[in-house]
Amino acid sequence: MTVRAAQRQVVTERLAGHLLASGLSRTSVRQLAAAAGISDRMLLYYFRDKAEALGEAMGHVAAQLGGRLEAALPAGRRMPPERLLAEAARIATEPEVRPFMALWMEVIAAAARGEAPYAGIASEVTT
């Protein structure tokens, strides 16, 4: 991994943490750069634009949530649908998972309103 790729990964992780803590309300390029501890020019060095930075951060958030879900509901573990729904509801309301769910609801709502770049981000995350 190159130095640039490693630093980009660090920035992505910081942006993901920022999104989980602040939601979408503080996502200007300057606010994202400040949250990552870099200048706005450096943010645009690591990412083509704000949409790519948000997309990468949301991908990281989705991977974190996916890991939590995999740990709670291991692949190959079969259960009746009503039990699966109950377990998914329990997981979704855990205090540690609430920020993920709140952020996801914000992204889906922004995508439904046609706000760029959230429709693309929602599509990528669900894929």
Side-chain angles (χ1 to χ4, degrees), residues 12-125:
T12 298
E13 291 169 8
R14 289 177 182 166
L15 293 176
H18 171 72
L19 290 175
L20 287 170
S22 302
L24 299 181
S25 64
R26 297 181 55 208
T27 59
S28 72
V29 169
R30 285 202 170 133
Q31 290 167 327
L32 292 172
I38 58 175
S39 70
D40 51 343
R41 285 182 181 228
M42 285 306 294
L43 184 75
L44 295 175
Y45 170 75
Y46 294 121
F47 305 99
R48 272 188 321 270
D49 53 22
K50 175 183 167 182
E52 184 182 30
L54 288 172
E56 288 292 318
M58 284 300 301
H60 188 76
V61 167
Q64 286 180 303
L65 181 57
R68 288 176 181 270
L69 293 173
E70 179 63 32
L73 303 167
R77 181 177 159 203
R78 307 211 31 105
M79 63 180 69
E82 62 276 0
R83 172 91 197 271
L84 177 62
L85 284 173
E87 191 65 14
R90 182 192 65 74
I91 293 166
T93 58
E94 288 179 344
E96 311 84 50
V97 176
R98 284 186 186 153
F100 291 89
M101 301 310 289
L103 178 59
W104 182 240
M105 291 299 122
E106 277 190 274
V107 169
I108 293 298
R113 289 189 300 268
E115 294 178 27
Y118 302 108
I121 290 170
S123 177
E124 285 181 36
V125 169

